[in-house]
Amino acid sequence: MAKVGYIFKKEPYEDFNEDKNWMLQFGCVNVVEEQKEHEKLRPKWKQLLSSLERGDELVVTKFSNAVRGSRELASLIELCRIKVVRIISVHDKIDTKNILFPDTKVSDVIEMFGSLPEECAALRNASSHIVQLQQDIIVSKKWNITNAEERAKTIVDMYKNGYSISEIHAISGFNSRSSVFRILNKYGVKLNRGRFSGPIGKRKNKKDNQENEENS
């Protein structure tokens, strides 16, 4: 069992250091920081959810900071229910184990659900505005990952979590899509996008591949 925190670094974020210190003092072994330019795809959030194991504890600053709407919140709650993961939202004052925030009432939880879409939209619009203002910086910087192994792992995790090749390539820092395919092939990822499936160089038409599997 492990405690891990997640913070989407929106701008402005005056309480960032305070929120991160709260998580560290609570005992989080790691506080994952998502950069504002990755607001749309949130690859680190996807990685974190994939890595959660039974009995872990997930700490977020606020649900509207971690998810992008009611549908994602419902998916998060279902995932954590299946994996028996405790969720703590610091500013919402919600703890799924009912240990912290004993004064939180059902009406407070309902209020959080009701205000979530508006809060997520406001955060998304603010982040998009900042990204647009800093577009020239972002284009040159692209993905804030310099370690080749970490970048490869992120590419593999993003693909397995449903992101398209175009979406992965857009933030990977690679000049060509073939480099993304090269990473996926290196780590033995079976392709399942578009018309083809299977490893690179041995791809078959999906329809033919399914027929072969049924006949085998």
Side-chain angles (χ1 to χ4, degrees), residues 101-114:
F101 320 120
D103 295 330
T104 298
K105 302 182 291 293
V106 173
S107 59
D108 298 323
V109 178
I110 294 175
E111 176 67 22
M112 180 277 296
F113 271 100

Side-chain angles (χ1 to χ4, degrees), residues 152-161 183-184 187 189:
K153 183 180 184 301
T154 301
I155 288 174
V156 171
D157 287 342
M158 287 183 68
Y159 190 85
K160 289 182 177 179
N161 279 287
I183 294 295
L184 295 175
Y187 285 83
V189 177

